[in-house]
Amino acid sequence: MDNEIDEIAWPKETNNASENQLSGYNESDTDGEIVNVNEVALTIDDLFNDWESVQVIIDSYAKQNGFVVVKSRKDVDPIDKSIIRQREYICWKFGTHQSKKVEDISLHRDCSSYKTNCPWQASFYLGKKSNLIRLTKFVQEYNHQCDPETIELAPKNLRLPQQIINKIEHYTTNGNLGAEQQYKLLVQEFPQYNIAKKNLYNAIQKFRGVRIHDKTDAATMLLSLLKQREDDPDYVVIPRLEGPANELTGLFWMTSYQCNDLWPKYHDVIVYDTTSKTNRYEMALSLFVAVDNNYKTRIVAQALTKYENQADFNWILQCTLQASNNLAPKVLFTDSDPAIIAAVQVVYPQTRHLLCIYHLLENVKKKAKSKLRGDMASSFVEDFYTMRNSYSEEQFNTKYQEMLNKYEPCRPYLEKRIYPSRESWAQYCISKIFTAGIESTQRVESINGVIKKLVDRGTLLKELVMAIERELDKESHYTRINDFYGSNPSVGLSSTYNTIFKELDSVLEANLLAIPLSIHRAQMNQSLLYQANLVSINQVEDEETNFNNSVLGILGHSHDIPQIRLRELLNGISYNDITEIWEVSYIASKLPNHTTLLYLKTRRYFAPVCLLSIKK
């Protein structure tokens, strides 16, 4: 309760407790309110206005004397049951432990009890002809030690008040905040309370677990999606029902915006991954994400399946084709799950399937630690980096043979798992494929992380669908805001791109959106921080021994740095057609940039982004 006890009327002729007894008492402790204790004294025939003031006094007295009181008896009026006539308080150590041991000693459980049969007792009575409550019995004796300093740690005194419980419920159900976040907020908001983390954990779990099992959950969710499809014919909902009970084993859906706008525009590069622990039925959540023209991650399709096998993945990929009029992705990134790999080969035969380099490297590290010992394990990973970054098939095969000879225990793994899938991760195979800068499934993993902050393994399906829809609304809202600011011209200070590269910038501004334009302008601003050195033709011919080892071989162990090799740039070009070759490097770095300026006799182009110039 939130009622404050501002003043209690005491009968001066019969009350033995002075008004100073309550001078520091303003609020009830049992209802989550503060009790400021100065000194409390109880004597027989003390009078109180109501039972709330009795509770305040008795709790304060117990804290002051270093023990805890509990209610043991309550008598109500025989006619009006809402009126309490008598209430008795005892010490928490009252009584003795009653053993429940049985004859079988193996069933005994070792336990201890804090009860000492303490005789302390206080009884209060509300007379039928009086409106005041009187202290009728008071036994002020203890048979245990009382400590006013440590009694604050007693379970009853650590009990969270109702106002904090309400805050925890709000933070848990509406904010999906974790225990550490809630603890920091509660300590700042309620510094006067001793908030035990154990009680906080229990309260959070209580509110997280309060989800009534709804047998119609799946039906409710499916009907909601079908209702949206009725209102919007372009809304795609494909359920999969199996068995005589019509069990929902699969669900695929795409909004009309995803189906008509996002997928057709950005299906060039799609990232696909599954995640678990998002609903109480343990159905796997599948997300397809793409990169839009603002270089932002967009969810383009979603699905739920009961299992994560090839049959389920086949069904999901078939649904994407059905919803997009057979518009398959040009490039698809996934993890190394064999079931997904097999499904892509069956359903997307024309799609270039690439593997997430992060998951691949994690598998390599795990295999190295299980098969090799000491420095050999780390050396295996470094050599794999070098092999993966090979800029030609010839160099890749050379590095591969070196690894086979050097790491004999890992030969089966290299031959059966790594080498057969090389076209999905080797740099020489994917360097000329448009991937929008993607090398892993991190974009979809980040979306999974955002959704998991809103749901957990106890979430109902209808709640999960609502969480995904809210995330889609956030993405759309960001796009609208970005389009709004992009439609409003702005004037800034003079910069490199609007002075030195003014004509080029005007062409880019007419053809690019805001985010790609800002990336190009950043490159133009940095162009003055590069230096160029003339490279002779002889260095190209002797690349393996001189130029490559001294310049380009330095980054061989860095798997996430894009590399352009000079020999690759000159592939198919006669050395007789080359007039000049320039090596361009960043002034502030000791490592040269992996870009080269080429001048040829046949044609002339200029592209500042890749710093490639061909002379006519």
Side-chain angles (χ1 to χ4, degrees):
M1 291 183 295
D2 297 325
N3 298 329
E4 296 186 354
I5 305 174
D6 296 325
E7 183 178 357
I8 297 178
W10 299 89
K12 297 184 179 298
E13 66 278 12
T14 58
N15 183 23
N16 294 329
S18 65
E19 290 185 2
N20 292 332
Q21 191 177 13
L22 284 182
S23 61
Y25 297 81
N26 287 327
E27 298 177 342
S28 169
D29 178 66
T30 57
D31 292 326
E33 299 169 345
I34 307 170
V35 177
N36 184 14
V37 179
N38 292 329
E39 184 176 357
V40 180
L42 290 176
T43 56
I44 297 295
D45 291 333
D46 281 350
L47 299 178
F48 303 89
N49 279 353
D50 49 46
W51 290 110
E52 184 179 357
S53 60
V54 172
Q55 189 66 53
V56 170
I57 288 293
I58 205 70
D59 286 338
S60 302
Y61 178 87
K63 287 184 179 180
Q64 175 181 294
N65 291 274
F67 70 103
V68 176
V69 296
V70 294
K71 300 173 184 176
S72 67
R73 177 181 175 183
K74 181 179 73 171
D75 294 336
V76 297
D77 188 88
I79 298 176
D80 188 351
K81 302 295 184 180
S82 63
I83 300 177
I84 300 175
R85 288 297 178 187
Q86 184 175 359
R87 177 164 281 171
E88 183 177 288
Y89 295 88
I90 59 175
C91 176
W92 66 331
K93 293 182 179 292
F94 174 81
T96 57
H97 174 65
Q98 301 295 328
S99 177
K100 297 182 180 180
K101 292 183 177 180
V102 295
E103 294 182 0
D104 188 356
I105 194 172
S106 63
L107 300 178
H108 292 180
R109 181 171 61 91
D110 293 335
C111 62
S112 59
S113 174
Y114 60 84
K115 293 184 177 296
T116 62
N117 201 21
C118 178
W120 189 94
Q121 182 181 356
S123 296
F124 297 85
Y125 181 74
L126 173 62
K128 295 183 179 180
K129 297 181 180 180
S130 173
N131 292 327
L132 298 176
I133 302 171
R134 184 184 301 273
L135 177 59
T136 58
K137 182 179 181 182
F138 186 46
V139 179
Q140 195 174 1
E141 296 180 6
Y142 313 95
N143 61 2
H144 56 86
Q145 182 178 1
C146 298
D147 189 350
E149 295 183 1
T150 60
I151 200 60
E152 291 289 341
L153 303 178
K156 180 182 178 181
N157 294 331
L158 291 177
R159 191 178 302 163
L160 297 176
Q162 189 59 43
Q163 53 187 334
I164 294 183
I165 294 293
N166 294 338
K167 284 288 184 180
I168 295 174
E169 181 180 10
H170 174 68
Y171 291 151
T172 303
T173 57
N174 299 324
N176 291 281
L177 299 183
E180 289 300 325
Q181 294 173 308
Q182 293 196 35
Y183 182 77
K184 293 178 181 179
L185 293 173
L186 294 173
V187 168
Q188 292 292 330
E189 190 171 357
F190 303 100
Q192 68 272 26
Y193 292 106
N194 186 2
I195 301 176
K197 286 192 174 182
K198 180 180 179 180
N199 294 340
L200 176 61
Y201 297 153
N202 293 337
I204 292 175
Q205 191 61 33
K206 172 185 175 183
F207 294 119
R208 280 182 176 172
V210 177
R211 284 191 176 93
I212 301 174
H213 179 65
D214 187 0
K215 294 182 178 180
T216 63
D217 174 39
T220 302
M221 179 269 298
L222 182 57
L223 290 175
S224 175
L225 293 178
L226 294 176
K227 179 65 167 59
Q228 295 187 56
R229 188 176 66 178
E230 291 180 3
D231 299 336
D232 184 357
D234 293 332
Y235 199 103
V236 177
V237 180
I238 305 176
R240 185 178 65 180
L241 305 175
E242 295 181 354
N246 285 333
E247 179 185 4
L248 182 68
T249 60
L251 176 67
F252 177 90
W253 77 100
M254 292 177 67
T255 66
S256 57
Y257 183 65
Q258 289 176 320
C259 189
N260 299 331
D261 192 83
L262 294 181
W263 187 279
K265 283 185 178 180
Y266 311 120
H267 72 282
D268 302 79
V269 182
I270 298 293
V271 185
Y272 171 61
D273 192 28
T274 61
T275 185
S276 58
K277 300 179 182 179
T278 60
N279 56 87
R280 70 183 309 163
Y281 308 103
E282 298 183 356
M283 297 186 74
L285 174 64
S286 297
L287 294 179
F288 294 82
V289 304
V291 182
D292 66 5
N293 52 357
N294 293 311
Y295 207 63
K296 297 298 181 183
T297 303
R298 304 297 299 273
I299 303 175
V300 295
Q302 49 278 322
L304 286 168
T305 53
K306 185 176 182 180
Y307 306 106
E308 295 182 77
N309 51 35
Q310 183 180 347
D312 281 343
F313 293 135
N314 284 342
W315 179 79
I316 293 174
L317 299 183
Q318 288 286 358
C319 289
T320 62
L321 296 178
Q322 180 180 342
S324 61
N325 295 323
N326 294 320
L327 194 60
K330 296 181 180 179
V331 176
L332 179 67
F333 277 91
T334 69
D335 57 22
S336 303
D337 188 346
I340 296 181
I341 296 175
V344 173
Q345 293 174 351
V346 173
V347 184
Y348 291 162
Q350 304 300 324
T351 298
R352 186 61 187 271
H353 186 200
L354 303 181
L355 299 181
C356 170
I357 187 61
Y358 171 78
H359 289 94
L360 180 64
L361 292 177
E362 289 298 309
N363 291 336
V364 168
K365 293 177 183 179
K366 183 178 179 180
K367 180 61 66 173
K369 291 180 180 179
S370 64
K371 296 293 184 179
L372 304 173
R373 296 292 179 267
D375 296 337
M376 289 292 288
S378 58
S379 178
F380 179 85
V381 176
E382 292 177 1
D383 289 344
F384 177 81
Y385 285 162
T386 306
M387 180 182 69
R388 186 257 177 182
N389 287 335
S390 298
Y391 56 89
S392 67
E393 185 176 5
E394 179 182 359
Q395 187 188 32
F396 179 89
N397 290 329
T398 301
K399 298 294 184 183
Y400 172 71
Q401 291 298 327
E402 292 177 358
M403 291 192 68
L404 289 178
N405 298 330
K406 185 177 180 180
Y407 307 102
E408 189 64 30
C410 296
R411 176 181 286 270
Y413 174 69
L414 292 171
E415 292 179 340
K416 296 180 180 179
R417 295 293 302 274
I418 295 298
Y419 191 76
S421 62
R422 63 191 181 280
E423 293 185 357
S424 299
W425 51 266
Q427 190 68 29
Y428 81 91
C429 294
I430 66 176
S431 58
K432 296 182 180 180
I433 302 174
F434 175 71
T435 62
I438 297 174
E439 288 191 338
S440 68
T441 58
Q442 180 181 1
R443 286 184 177 269
V444 69
E445 297 285 359
S446 63
I447 297 295
N448 289 338
V450 172
I451 293 177
K452 282 192 173 183
K453 291 181 180 179
L454 305 176
V455 300
D456 53 43
R457 62 179 61 192
T459 303
L460 300 175
L461 290 180
K462 54 187 177 184
E463 297 173 343
L464 174 59
V465 172
M466 292 175 59
I468 296 175
E469 290 179 346
R470 285 195 295 268
E471 187 62 25
L472 295 175
D473 292 339
K474 287 170 56 179
E475 293 179 359
S476 300
H477 181 66
Y478 173 83
T479 303
R480 291 194 298 269
I481 292 177
N482 192 73
D483 292 342
F484 169 76
Y485 284 109
S487 63
N488 293 287
S490 59
V491 179
L493 299 176
S494 298
S495 183
T496 303
Y497 66 83
N498 56 19
T499 54
I500 301 177
F501 301 108
K502 185 175 181 180
E503 294 182 2
L504 177 61
D505 181 67
S506 62
V507 176
L508 296 175
E509 187 174 11
N511 294 277
L512 297 179
L513 293 175
I515 300 300
L517 179 61
S518 65
I519 296 175
H520 280 269
R521 286 176 171 176
Q523 290 293 324
M524 286 188 282
N525 287 334
Q526 296 179 17
S527 63
L528 301 182
L529 301 178
Y530 289 83
Q531 61 184 358
N533 297 318
L534 188 63
V535 178
S536 67
I537 300 297
N538 294 333
Q539 287 179 285
V540 179
E541 297 175 349
D542 198 22
E543 178 186 0
E544 290 296 333
T545 56
N546 295 327
F547 188 74
N548 183 54
N549 292 337
S550 62
V551 177
L552 299 179
I554 297 175
L555 301 178
H557 292 201
S558 301
H559 68 280
D560 58 347
I561 299 179
Q563 302 178 41
I564 302 176
R565 303 295 184 175
L566 183 58
R567 185 180 294 276
E568 288 294 303
L569 288 176
L570 301 180
N571 187 26
I573 300 174
S574 174
Y575 289 172
N576 296 327
D577 295 333
I578 299 175
T579 302
E580 294 176 343
I581 299 177
W582 292 83
E583 174 196 344
V584 181
S585 60
Y586 191 57
I587 295 176
S589 174
K590 297 181 180 180
L591 298 178
N593 198 328
H594 290 246
T595 55
T596 306
L597 236 60
L598 269 68
Y599 289 87
L600 305 183
K601 292 180 180 179
T602 54
R603 295 183 300 171
R604 178 178 178 84
Y605 297 94
F606 182 64
V609 176
C610 64
L611 296 177
L612 173 63
S613 179
I614 304 177
K615 189 175 182 180
K616 184 175 181 180

